Amino acid sequence: MPFPNSSTRTRRHKLILAATIIPLVTLVVVVLLVVIIQGRKEGPKSEILLEWRGRGTTPHLREIVLGRCYNYVATVNSELRNKDCLKIWELFEKAFMYKDPCSITEKDYQPLMDMARHSIPCNKSLFWSKTGNLVHRYTKANQDFVTLEDTLLGYIADGISWCGDPSSPGINYKSCPKWTECESNPGTIYWKMASKMFAEAACGTIQVMLNGSIETGAFRNDSIFGSVEIRNLNSDKISGMYVWLMHDIDGPQSEFCGGRSITVLKEILKKQKIRVFCEDNYRPVQLLQCTSSPEHTACKACS
């Protein structure tokens, strides 16, 4: 049998190579198609979420915000019954969902702030710093005063947390950034804007409850009250501010009305042409403290 010439051998090699490559390419194409189709069925995969130090978004956030809103306009402040709670929720979620939780701006929340804005009766605005539990116990017992948390914006967001994520499902339920991690997070921007609006709405005589048991001082420039609220008071509408400097029952009495930080507060408000009056342990609030420590000397009738 004659040996095949070089051209015959070349053709034979090409046929063998083709017979090997074509099935391999076909297999690769089939695998890629399966992966693509399967991926489309499953939808986009969420990226790995960053681990923040703060609490994640509160579960059932939509139901909580809507429920609080409907309750507020129906029973807490029926004068606001025409507020559209569903629209308020839509503006709320639009402000942070599918967004980087460290890149939130005032522009994101402005439509919500405008929608939920409402007036505060004169002489009823009560500000606070480091007295959250006590001040809200007091406003529940005495409805002559209104804190930020008693407004619509404060009521729907009090005690909950929320933040978004650029990938699906658009909300991070695992963790959210604290303001120390990034100041432009959803919660910080929200509360600063709501606090600014609350201060701008204040009129007549206003009150603030501060904590005189804090060693670093009852008034702090870097607090929301010091950095946002007092900076946005309208002196043309305000006749004066009363400071209620409260001490913890059985706690340290670190500062009184003549103390250093209260003097700083008075100087700031003096420049804004707002008069300041201070009282140590405002008696109506102190009596509320006495419900838990009735035998304390400060709780005696003649003390």
Side-chain angles (χ1 to χ4, degrees), residues 3-158:
F3 292 105
N5 56 32
S6 60
S7 62
T8 302
R9 288 199 302 270
T10 300
R11 285 195 300 272
R12 184 177 297 172
H13 289 158
K14 288 182 177 179
L15 289 173
I16 294 172
L17 186 62
T20 303
I21 292 176
I22 290 174
L24 183 59
V25 171
T26 303
L27 179 61
V28 170
V29 170
V30 170
V31 171
L32 287 174
L33 286 173
V34 170
V35 171
I36 292 171
I37 293 171
Q38 187 66 25
R40 288 178 177 175
K41 287 181 180 179
E42 294 179 356
K45 297 285 186 181
S46 297
E47 297 177 6
I48 297 175
L49 299 178
L50 289 173
E51 286 283 351
W52 303 106
R53 294 202 299 269
R55 289 185 300 154
T57 299
T58 302
H60 311 295
L61 182 67
R62 180 181 187 275
E63 290 77 11
I64 292 172
V65 172
L66 277 174
R68 288 182 176 184
C69 182
Y70 285 127
N71 182 62
Y72 189 90
V73 301
T75 65
V76 178
N77 189 344
S78 59
E79 292 181 0
L80 303 181
R81 56 185 172 274
N82 292 326
K83 293 287 187 183
D84 187 341
C85 286
L86 184 57
K87 182 64 176 178
I88 286 173
W89 162 251
E90 290 172 351
L91 294 175
F92 185 96
E93 67 171 349
K94 185 178 180 181
F96 75 93
M97 279 189 66
Y98 286 102
K99 295 179 181 178
D100 179 348
C102 283
S103 299
I104 303 301
T105 66
E106 291 187 356
K107 185 178 179 180
D108 293 317
Y109 278 120
Q110 196 59 56
L112 170 63
M113 297 291 152
D114 293 338
M115 171 68 71
R117 182 190 303 270
H118 62 89
S119 61
I120 309 295
C122 286
N123 307 315
K124 289 197 172 188
S125 296
L126 173 54
F127 299 88
W128 61 273
S129 183
K130 293 294 184 180
T131 55
N133 181 55
L134 181 59
V135 77
H136 294 129
R137 285 174 58 200
Y138 182 65
T139 55
K140 284 181 180 179
N142 185 345
Q143 298 183 357
D144 285 337
F145 298 98
V146 176
T147 66
L148 172 60
E149 291 73 21
D150 298 313
T151 67
L152 177 55
L153 283 168
Y155 190 86
I156 64 175
D158 189 26

Side-chain angles (χ1 to χ4, degrees), residues 152-170:
L152 177 55
L153 283 168
Y155 190 86
I156 64 175
D158 189 26
I160 62 176
S161 60
W162 66 94
C163 67
D165 184 81
S167 59
S168 181

Side-chain angles (χ1 to χ4, degrees), residues 245-263:
L245 189 57
M246 306 305 301
H247 299 103
D248 299 334
I249 294 289
D250 280 331
Q253 298 187 5
S254 301
E255 185 172 18
F256 292 89
C257 282
R260 180 186 57 80
S261 78
I262 299 300
T263 301

Side-chain angles (χ1 to χ4, degrees), residues 210-255:
L210 301 179
N211 192 332
S213 292
I214 298 178
E215 292 184 3
T216 55
F219 171 72
R220 296 170 298 116
N221 278 299
D222 60 351
S223 66
I224 292 292
F225 174 64
S227 63
V228 177
E229 290 172 334
I230 66 171
R231 311 289 177 175
N232 286 283
L233 296 173
N234 186 342
S235 59
D236 293 333
K237 299 193 303 179
I238 295 172
S239 56
M241 172 184 284
Y242 281 87
V243 177
W244 299 340
L245 189 57
M246 306 305 301
H247 299 103
D248 299 334
I249 294 289
D250 280 331
Q253 298 187 5
S254 301
E255 185 172 18

Side-chain angles (χ1 to χ4, degrees), residues 276-291:
V276 180
F277 309 91
C278 184
E279 183 173 345
D280 292 309
N281 295 315
Y282 179 59
R283 191 61 174 168
V285 178
Q286 189 178 61
L287 290 175
L288 184 62
Q289 291 176 304
C290 288
T291 58

